[in-house]
Amino acid sequence: MLAGCGAGTCQVIVTTPMEMLKIQLQDAGRIAAQKKILAAQAQLSTQGGTQPAVEAPAAPRPTATQLTRDLLQSRGIAGLYKGLGATLLRDVPFSIVYFPLFANLNQLGQSASEEKSPFYVSFLAGCVAGSTAAVAVNPCDVVKTRLQSLQRGVNEDTYSGFLDCARKILRNEGPSAFLKGAYCRALVIAPLFGIAQVVYFLGIGETLLGLLQNPQP
């Protein structure tokens, strides 16, 4: 569990900026669509509904490079690490749950203490442990996503921190909101970690490294 905690902490340093960019790219389409609908409604109300509304040209979708540049210019390096605390609260507990659970499940398939489990046992153990850990930390993932969304739609709340965000979600949307996307996250995480563990336990990485270090003549 301590090793998983350390691994999750190191991972967050690399993945938080990527999570920030991913969320901004995903939000861009939603915000643009909402603005388009509001503009059309405003135009219809101004014209009294007597003339057909002229559709405004769609705004260009931002790119990851553009978002990175804008964040660095407006917020500095800290802008890329917005929501770092929430990301830690998601990924560190995930690793704490995942690694011990996988180790115990994988050990069930060992016929002897010195032998490795069959690859399908490692795959199933990775799937079960990954999906279980993903669902367990999904409430923190929901809060993290809300905090890292820089653009707000109409009537959407703003948050001052993790606890403020969690309170507003609970008050306005109820406890079930913390499980939004849990099923999809489990579907993504299960095969991801199942395949990763199979690759690791089959020694594919070590074999490739050995070929690189000792090329055949």
Side-chain angles (χ1 to χ4, degrees):
M1 291 176 71
L2 289 175
C5 177
T9 303
C10 295
Q11 168 195 320
V12 166
I13 298 172
V14 177
T15 58
T16 298
M18 299 176 188
E19 288 275 350
M20 272 290 297
L21 295 175
K22 181 200 73 171
I23 290 170
Q24 306 323 309
L25 288 170
Q26 290 176 336
D27 271 355
R30 177 178 63 87
I31 299 297
Q34 190 178 70
K35 289 180 178 178
K36 185 177 178 180
I37 293 171
L38 291 174
Q41 291 175 345
Q43 188 174 12
L44 282 173
S45 62
T46 301
Q47 295 175 348
T50 58
Q51 299 178 5
V54 178
E55 186 173 349
R61 296 287 298 272
T63 64
T65 303
Q66 178 186 345
L67 284 171
T68 304
R69 185 169 58 248
D70 292 344
L71 278 171
L72 288 174
Q73 289 176 350
S74 61
R75 300 169 181 257
I77 294 295
L80 293 175
Y81 283 90
K82 181 178 173 62
L84 175 63
T87 308
L88 282 168
L89 287 175
R90 182 197 67 174
D91 288 352
V92 172
F94 177 93
S95 297
I96 291 174
V97 172
Y98 172 77
F99 286 107
L101 181 57
F102 168 79
N104 283 278
L105 291 175
N106 187 64
Q107 192 175 19
L108 296 177
Q110 292 178 346
S111 57
S113 59
E114 300 299 326
E115 294 183 3
K116 289 184 178 180
S117 299
F119 77 92
Y120 62 87
V121 173
S122 296
F123 175 77
L124 292 175
C127 289
V128 173
S131 57
T132 302
V135 173
V137 302
N138 198 75
C140 293
D141 183 64
V142 172
V143 175
K144 179 197 74 69
T145 301
R146 301 289 181 91
L147 289 174
Q148 289 183 324
S149 295
L150 298 179
Q151 299 186 57
R152 301 292 177 190
V154 177
N155 298 325
E156 288 186 349
D157 283 322
T158 57
Y159 311 108
S160 60
F162 186 92
L163 292 178
D164 178 62
C165 180
R167 279 196 298 265
K168 287 181 177 178
I169 293 174
L170 182 63
R171 182 178 68 243
N172 299 331
E173 303 176 51
S176 62
F178 291 107
L179 291 178
K180 285 182 177 179
Y183 179 70
C184 293
R185 271 182 57 78
L187 287 179
V188 172
I189 295 296
L192 170 65
F193 280 87
I195 293 170
Q197 292 297 350
V198 168
V199 171
Y200 175 76
F201 274 86
L202 289 179
I204 294 175
E206 288 81 354
T207 302
L208 293 175
L209 287 174
L211 293 175
L212 292 174
Q213 293 173 357
N214 302 302
Q216 297 295 326

